[in-house]
Amino acid sequence: MKKKNKKGFIDVVVGLQWGDEGKGKNIDELLSSKIYSGVARFQGGANAGHTIKSGKITFIGHIIPSGCLQKNIELYIGNGVVVDIISLIKEISELKKLGLNVIPRLYLSNRAKLVSYLHPFLDQAEEYFRSKGGDKVGTTGRGIGPAYSDIRARRGLLIGDILSSDFKQKEASLAKFHMNLLKMYEREYGFKIPTEKITEARIKWLETINQIKKLKICDLSFLIQKRLSEGKNILAEGAQAVMLDIDFGDYPNVTSSNTLPANVCLGLGMPHTTVRNVYGVIKAYTTKVGGGSFPARIKDEKMEKLFQDAGHEFGATTGRPRMCGWLDLFALRYAIKLSGANKIFINKADICQANKIKVVTGYREAKKNLKEFPLYLNQVTSVITEEISGWGNANYGVKDKKKVSRELASYLKYIKNKLSDFNIKIISVGTGPDREHSFGWDK
Ligand code: IMP
């Protein structure tokens, strides 16, 4: 009788804060364990910015999965992703210059969504409109919201459409609709994109479509199911983070996709039974970029700037400075409950620019301590904090648990204790940007 292969599984990496937790490094770390044969993006688009360092190579990717620097890993872009084809082709060619031809191992779902050349302009127009009525979301300007809106309204384009004979008509009809929207924004709100800019973007986009046709466009759900039946395991790479989830974040200051691990199944076309571990990623402090309230923000501007500079807290996609805050355990507990994270990575534990640091343990609305995470973060009028000793620069580059400073060790124990009801393991603590700058904590 033929021996049956043991079925493979999917593990997920998800940010547990507001994004920019340094997931790219942890994904790279997990992939080097040789447990996985592929890495898959399941949501978001080129709004992500993943910095990966390997030896002398530093690569910043926005749309290509983070396993790109590892030669034998298959790279998947799932149906839940809105694909910015210009970024994708640019990243493929940047990797080629680094000596990595990813084309043979890159697979795009035919059901993934296409970001059109007009989506970023519509993104700008929508932000302009919002700024008139109150607050901007502070989007990355990559056309994410408009691309997902088109899909929900069933007028969007799929990657597979590129190969169909009526692509030109479909594209022209969507472009006409978008141009009408842009005319409305100009007529009603005075927001105008110069015609030359649109023409230039269109030419570049159509040229890029031809390059995309040469990539492997396939039924990715089928391919990943096949890999699992061959006994291979896949790592699903979350972009953004739980606190930016469209349903569970601080709406409307969120991204337009579900960032939660629950979306791995829908964004790749997999049954929920295939998902095993959820790796959550946090930084030892918190950052946030874009609009909306940020209760844990460091109030002392000078102190915030110290964290911003030491942590290089400037967006990899937009270059915007990130607001810096203390570790927010109240938000973290909410994110763990929603994501089911059972193992966590703590990044940037070498960054601690204060003798005394704070940790947010609760939120208050007026004088009332909140028991549950609020619907709107602007309901929060103050935060409850606890003070802990800082560790300055003492832990940069530490690779051995035994060499960790006393203060950082007690900080890690403190976090573990505050999360003890979740039975979570701190599997690795980052102390610098390189792959080897980390140490294991829990066994
Ligand atoms: P969008 O995803 O570009 O529509 O932006 C919506 C919100 O999500 C904004 O507040 C962005 O700053 C935020 N955002 C989107 N992608 C990232 C990311 O990769 N890191 C951090 N924030 C992000």
Side-chain angles (χ1 to χ4, degrees), residues 87 201 241 255 297 322 328 331 346 364 369 387 424 434:
S87 296
T255 191
R297 187 168 188 179
R322 298 174 187 142
D328 183 343
I346 303 184
R364 276 199 199 105
N369 290 359
E387 203 170 64
I424 260 189
D434 292 346

Side-chain angles (χ1 to χ4, degrees), residues 127-136:
E127 280 286 74
Y128 183 81
F129 168 73
R130 281 189 284 259
S131 71
K132 297 266 153 197
D135 288 334
K136 288 182 177 185

Side-chain angles (χ1 to χ4, degrees), residues 151-392:
I151 289 303
R152 289 298 184 201
R154 289 156 293 183
R155 59 175 172 257
L157 296 170
L158 306 179
I159 286 288
D161 287 336
I162 297 176
L163 305 175
S164 73
S165 56
D166 59 352
F167 177 67
K168 261 194 178 163
Q169 289 99 293
K170 279 186 180 165
E171 189 278 312
S173 136
L174 186 64
K176 191 172 167 198
F177 180 80
H178 287 164
M179 287 307 293
N180 281 336
L181 277 179
L182 286 173
K183 275 186 208 143
M184 184 275 292
Y185 279 111
E186 185 181 342
R187 193 179 59 240
E188 301 292 325
Y189 307 105
F191 176 86
K192 182 169 168 56
I193 302 280
T195 315
E196 318 78 72
K197 262 192 152 180
I198 294 180
T199 313
E200 198 187 309
R202 177 174 164 77
I203 294 170
K204 194 166 174 200
W205 189 80
L206 288 174
E207 277 169 14
T208 312
I209 287 283
N210 289 327
Q211 289 169 270
I212 295 289
K213 279 184 190 161
K214 296 177 196 148
L215 301 180
K216 291 193 180 92
I217 298 174
C218 64
D219 179 341
L220 191 68
S221 159
F222 178 81
L223 178 70
I224 297 183
Q225 305 232 18
K226 183 165 178 284
R227 292 290 180 264
L228 298 191
S229 66
E230 289 162 358
K232 292 178 176 154
N233 309 316
I234 309 293
L235 192 62
E237 165 181 3
Q240 294 80 51
V242 171
M243 301 310 293
L244 290 171
D245 184 275
I246 183 122
D247 283 294
F248 292 96
D250 176 34
Y251 189 88
N253 300 298
V254 290
T255 191
S256 294
S257 63
N258 281 111
T259 54
L260 281 166
N263 194 25
V264 167
C265 307
L266 292 173
L268 295 177
M270 302 302 297
H272 74 279
T273 44
T274 50
V275 176
R276 193 189 64 159
N277 285 308
V278 176
Y279 292 95
V281 184
I282 63 168
K283 279 192 283 214
Y285 52 98
T286 314
T287 59
K288 182 177 190 297
V289 61
S293 302
F294 184 30
R297 187 168 188 179
I298 298 173
K299 288 210 177 78
D300 175 344
E301 271 178 45
K302 275 192 195 145
M303 176 74 71
E304 181 184 25
K305 183 91 178 69
L306 287 175
F307 273 87
Q308 205 173 60
D309 291 341
H312 306 289
E313 298 297 353
F314 299 90
T317 305
T318 58
R320 293 179 292 179
R322 298 174 187 142
M323 295 179 271
C324 294
W326 306 116
L327 179 68
D328 183 343
L329 285 174
F330 195 68
L332 183 58
R333 291 181 60 82
Y334 175 69
I336 293 173
K337 276 186 200 160
L338 286 168
S339 63
N342 52 357
K343 295 170 189 268
I344 59 172
F345 285 97
I346 303 184
N347 288 332
K348 292 198 175 174
D350 54 312
I351 311 288
C352 178
Q353 307 312 112
N355 294 332
K356 290 276 173 202
I357 57 169
K358 288 183 183 161
V359 175
V360 173
T361 54
Y363 288 177
R364 276 199 199 105
E365 186 178 356
K367 288 200 172 114
K368 200 175 88 204
N369 290 359
L370 295 183
K371 289 203 172 64
E372 284 160 18
F373 203 79
L375 175 58
Y376 307 114
L377 275 184
N378 64 11
Q379 284 170 243
V380 179
T381 47
S382 64
V383 290
I384 305 163
T385 57
E386 287 178 7
E387 203 170 64
I388 288 180
S389 296
W391 50 90

